Amino acid sequence: MIVQETRIRTASGHKAVSRHVLSGAKNEAIRVLSGSDYLLKDWMKEAKREGIRYGLRHIAFNPVESMTDEQLASFAERICAELSADPDRMTLVIHQKDGSTHGHLLLPEWQDDHVLSSRFSWQRLEKLARLEEIRLGHALVAGRHDHAIAKALRAEGHHDAANRIAALAPQDGAARPVAAYTSQARRITERQDFDLPTARREILSFWQASDNDLTAFRNLLATKNWRMRSGDRTDGRRNTHIIETRDGMLIGSFTRLTKVRMKDFRELLEKEATIHAAIDLRPVARRLKRSDLRRQQRISVNQAEQDLLWTDPSLLSEQQKQRLAERTQAEVKAIQKHLPSIASPLDTEKLSEGFQIYLKDWKREIQAARAVLNARHPLEKRYGPESPLDIQTHCILQMMQDGWKKLRRARHAVLQARKDLNDLEDQQWVFSRQKKISEAEKQLQQALAQLAEILRYVVEFILYHLGLSSWKPAPLQIPVPMEQEMSRQQYLENRQELLQTLLSEKNRRDWIKDRCREAEQHRARIIEKWHDERQPEKDRAEAHIAALLDVAQPPKTLPDTVRKTIRDLKQQGQLRQSLDAMAAFNKRDATAPVSHTPNSSRSIGRHHNPEP
């Protein structure tokens, strides 16, 4: 079993490892035994909050012989116990590829009260792998730390397992197993459609066929359009050589790929240098002599033309004038070739009519696509005043103090008016009784209307300053106009319970908290549903933006014929035909994969405000 560990930086985020583990396109099947993308995101947020450099620990384990999902899950729990991790807080995913399965374990670096253990983690993971192979009866896989693992097992009392693992370790420390390439290098080559394992096997076969001859090995590499050169590292590793493609994509180190010791490789380099030193240098001398002769001829011709520049034009012959004119034209063309284009997309009047049409259509379509990506739900806008929080809090508290006083006075007026009305109705033989009752009823209705108006203002003020309403409260109208009396009376009758709640300080605080929580949750659900429904539209907009950027700045790998076709269509103002030509080329190119350079990969993030 091979176990590899990677620590994900907090600054990198969780999206890349989540895409690789939870939705890898090259897997036949993906089974999520525990965890989710949401947990990975939450763990990364915890690491950022705690100020930790690394947020996630990614451990991949690939058994040589087949294991069931239950066995892989049991091995993941043993890894958690070894690293002091909570087994309930892990994301475990099983990948099936080419009929075999392997596991991916993701753990949060922050374990609520401590950071995940990382001391000698590679040796400890190899120890768990060897013990698991012994427990399941699998063939033992040799590793780099077998000596240290055997020593640790003897200290723990596992002498039988220690003896079996010690037998795997070579006597020569330099012959320990070394990975031919890192997992990062493999990911890079996979993104560029380059089969790194196949290339490694071919390089190893080339070295075996060369019979330890570096010259023959270089010739074999040239048949695949590869080359070997001195490395760029300056950390003291003398004579380190790498193998790469002609496009500059790194395949790996020579010593790692061929399993040749550095000491032996230095001897091979010295032998190669000695052989090249004994080569006949007469052809080189002849080439140098011819090069020097051509240089002297160019100098003499240039000097003769330079002398003509200072000669009186009346003394020059027609042939000499023709030579000067030709040289002037040649120099003008050479200068214009290296000058940038004078026309700019910002100054469209200097562009051709067809290109102006294309440029206008291109800007309109990319703005429309970006408007789709940048669209926000109306509820995402924050309501309420744009004032600081302390000022808003002071306003709410001040309004509450004044409002409660007005509510209590209005309520007292209502009670007094109702009492007066009841006293009048109880009196039977009072002169002008009916007229007094009508006036008392009018006063009661006015008091009720004022109470409803104050209650309306208090509720609207709170909702607006809490950001739950987009309407600023209308000012108080006291006394209330008579045409509003019936509506205020009905409002008051429907809000008797709300009035009692607002007049109590404890109930008032609970009511405001509940309304805020319900409103925020409801708004969040609406916004999330809205974004989910628009996801296909956003995907189409992203693909359209990528196509527009490719047309504006065609990739370097684009053939000249396709490039010229797109350029002619742009000059004619045919934006749609340009997009179709690029799409047809991409579709044809997808059926016949080619090797791309690292600089040829394009993304929307790298084309910020391009020049179309």
Side-chain angles (χ1 to χ4, degrees):
M1 178 185 297
I2 299 175
V3 183
Q4 292 182 332
E5 178 191 48
T6 305
R7 304 178 75 183
I8 312 300
R9 292 179 181 268
T10 307
S12 302
H14 77 291
K15 292 185 178 180
V17 68
S18 177
R19 284 195 301 268
H20 172 65
V21 174
L22 297 177
S23 59
K26 295 188 176 182
N27 297 295
E28 299 172 357
I30 297 177
R31 296 187 289 276
V32 181
L33 301 187
S34 64
S36 63
D37 176 78
Y38 176 80
L39 290 178
L40 300 180
K41 181 180 180 180
D42 190 57
W43 294 340
M44 193 64 78
K45 286 184 178 178
E46 289 181 352
K48 289 181 180 179
R49 185 186 66 241
E50 299 295 332
I52 302 174
R53 184 178 184 184
Y54 298 98
L56 295 174
R57 186 82 59 90
H58 177 205
I59 302 173
F61 42 95
N62 188 3
V64 178
E65 302 183 24
S66 61
M67 292 176 61
T68 63
D69 291 357
E70 291 76 11
Q71 292 173 340
L72 293 173
S74 177
F75 180 65
E77 293 179 355
R78 278 188 276 275
I79 292 178
C80 293
E82 179 68 27
L83 300 180
S84 301
D86 186 0
D88 294 333
R89 301 184 66 210
M90 70 174 179
T91 295
L92 179 61
V93 182
I94 305 300
H95 285 185
Q96 180 175 332
K97 185 185 297 183
D98 298 332
S100 61
T101 58
H102 61 277
H104 291 269
L105 175 64
L106 289 163
L107 298 173
E109 289 283 351
W110 177 248
Q111 295 286 323
D112 288 338
D113 56 354
H114 68 280
V115 178
L116 197 65
S117 175
S118 60
R119 182 177 176 82
F120 300 110
S121 57
W122 282 89
Q123 292 88 331
R124 293 158 67 187
L125 291 175
E126 282 195 16
K127 182 186 73 172
L128 292 178
R130 300 293 88 74
L131 292 176
E132 188 70 14
E133 290 165 353
I134 294 174
R135 184 181 295 107
L136 298 177
H138 294 175
L140 298 181
V141 178
R144 287 183 56 82
H145 309 97
D146 289 335
H147 279 301
I149 294 173
K151 183 178 178 180
L153 289 176
R154 288 194 182 94
E156 296 174 1
H158 303 290
H159 297 285
D160 295 337
N163 293 334
R164 295 183 60 182
I165 295 174
L168 300 174
Q171 298 299 325
D172 187 1
R176 293 185 300 171
V178 178
Y181 41 79
T182 63
S183 59
Q184 182 181 6
R186 183 164 186 168
R187 297 286 86 79
I188 293 174
T189 54
E190 284 180 353
R191 288 194 294 269
Q192 299 173 357
D193 295 333
F194 188 84
D195 193 352
L196 193 57
T198 302
R200 177 193 174 189
R201 290 192 294 269
E202 292 182 358
I203 291 172
L204 188 59
S205 64
F206 288 165
W207 178 246
Q208 294 172 353
S210 66
D211 195 19
N212 295 346
D213 186 355
L214 288 179
T215 303
F217 179 68
R218 294 179 193 271
N219 294 333
L220 291 173
L221 290 177
T223 60
K224 298 291 290 185
N225 204 19
W226 298 337
R227 64 183 178 185
M228 182 176 71
R229 64 173 180 86
S230 179
D232 301 326
R233 301 192 62 163
T234 58
D235 55 358
R237 297 189 179 184
R238 186 169 58 92
N239 295 329
T240 301
H241 279 56
I242 60 173
I243 298 176
E244 63 182 10
T245 63
R246 289 294 178 183
D247 298 330
M249 188 184 68
L250 176 65
I251 300 177
S253 169
F254 171 81
T255 54
R256 284 178 175 266
L257 293 171
T258 60
K259 306 302 181 184
V260 176
R261 295 189 304 178
M262 181 57 72
K263 178 181 178 181
D264 298 335
F265 180 59
R266 291 195 183 102
E267 294 178 356
L268 292 173
L269 286 176
E270 293 176 358
K271 180 180 178 181
E272 185 184 30
T274 303
I275 295 174
H276 287 179
I279 295 177
D280 187 7
L281 298 179
R282 286 176 294 181
V284 178
R286 286 194 294 268
R287 287 197 301 270
L288 292 175
K289 185 176 180 179
R290 289 194 298 268
S291 177
D292 186 60
L293 180 61
R294 287 193 298 268
R295 183 176 61 83
Q296 292 179 359
Q297 290 175 352
R298 285 195 301 270
I299 292 175
S300 61
V301 172
N302 291 336
Q303 185 63 37
E305 293 180 351
Q306 191 72 20
D307 295 339
L308 293 177
L309 294 175
W310 300 101
T311 306
D312 188 359
S314 61
L315 301 178
L316 295 177
S317 63
E318 293 297 331
Q319 184 178 5
Q320 291 175 338
K321 293 180 180 180
Q322 183 67 23
R323 286 173 56 188
L324 283 178
E326 291 176 355
R327 178 175 178 176
T328 303
Q329 292 295 331
E331 290 180 353
V332 169
K333 290 181 179 180
I335 294 174
Q336 291 178 349
K337 183 178 180 181
H338 296 284
L339 287 177
S341 177
I342 298 177
S344 171
L346 301 178
D347 189 8
T348 56
E349 294 181 356
K350 296 182 180 180
L351 301 174
S352 63
E353 182 179 359
F355 194 79
Q356 290 183 27
I357 297 173
Y358 151 77
L359 188 60
K360 183 179 179 181
D361 295 342
W362 187 91
K363 289 182 178 180
R364 184 179 64 254
E365 293 205 13
I366 200 167
Q367 288 175 358
R370 284 175 175 166
V372 172
L373 295 180
N374 299 330
R376 293 293 180 268
H377 194 276
L379 291 179
E380 293 187 58
K381 176 183 176 182
R382 184 187 181 279
Y383 297 126
E386 297 294 336
S387 56
L389 183 61
D390 53 347
I391 297 178
Q392 295 183 33
T393 305
H394 176 73
C395 292
I396 293 177
L397 294 177
Q398 185 67 32
M399 187 281 305
M400 289 170 65
Q401 293 176 2
D402 298 337
W404 305 150
K405 293 178 182 179
K406 293 179 180 179
L407 277 175
R408 289 188 177 94
R409 287 197 298 267
R411 185 168 180 268
H412 179 72
V414 170
L415 296 177
Q416 185 63 35
R418 183 175 284 114
K419 181 176 179 301
D420 295 340
L421 179 62
N422 293 336
D423 293 341
L424 289 172
E425 290 178 350
D426 293 337
Q427 298 177 7
Q428 298 181 0
W429 304 103
V430 178
F431 183 73
S432 66
R433 171 176 174 272
Q434 188 62 34
K435 182 178 180 181
K436 292 182 179 180
I437 290 177
S438 300
E439 293 177 356
E441 288 177 349
K442 185 183 295 185
Q443 292 179 358
L444 176 61
Q445 291 177 359
Q446 182 66 29
L448 290 172
Q450 292 182 6
L451 180 61
E453 176 66 9
I454 295 172
L455 180 61
R456 188 272 310 168
Y457 178 81
V458 169
V459 173
E460 291 182 358
F461 189 96
I462 293 175
L463 294 178
Y464 176 75
H465 278 269
L466 289 178
L468 301 178
S469 174
S470 61
W471 298 98
K472 192 173 181 179
L476 282 170
Q477 297 184 13
I478 296 178
V480 180
M482 295 306 296
E483 58 268 15
Q484 296 182 5
E485 288 179 1
M486 296 305 296
S487 60
R488 302 304 183 198
Q489 175 67 21
Q490 184 180 3
Y491 182 86
L492 180 64
E493 292 176 355
N494 295 334
R495 293 294 184 273
Q496 287 293 335
E497 183 179 355
L498 178 60
L499 175 62
Q500 297 297 330
T501 300
L502 293 177
L503 290 177
S504 173
E505 182 176 1
K506 181 179 181 302
N507 296 337
R508 181 171 66 246
R509 293 179 181 273
D510 296 338
W511 180 83
I512 293 176
K513 290 180 181 179
D514 292 341
R515 298 291 83 73
C516 292
R517 187 181 300 109
E518 292 173 3
E520 183 62 27
Q521 292 176 356
H522 181 65
R523 181 169 62 180
R525 287 193 297 269
I526 293 176
I527 293 173
E528 183 179 4
K529 181 180 178 182
W530 186 78
H531 281 291
D532 291 341
E533 292 175 351
R534 293 186 69 258
Q535 189 59 42
E537 185 179 0
K538 293 172 66 176
D539 294 339
R540 291 192 297 270
E542 288 182 355
H544 191 52
I545 288 177
L548 289 171
L549 294 175
D550 283 339
V551 169
Q553 292 183 350
K556 294 181 180 179
T557 56
L558 200 66
D560 292 338
T561 56
V562 181
R563 188 187 301 273
K564 292 179 181 178
T565 302
I566 294 177
R567 182 191 61 192
D568 295 340
L569 291 172
K570 290 163 65 174
Q571 292 293 338
Q572 298 171 8
Q574 303 293 338
L575 174 61
R576 182 56 53 190
Q577 286 77 355
S578 301
L579 293 172
D580 294 341
M582 180 63 71
F585 170 75
N586 292 333
K587 183 177 180 181
R588 182 176 66 253
D589 188 56
T591 59
V594 295
S595 176
H596 299 289
T597 61
N599 294 331
S600 65
S601 60
R602 302 174 65 86
S603 62
I604 294 178
R606 292 180 56 191
H607 294 281
H608 183 67
N609 293 333
E611 181 180 336

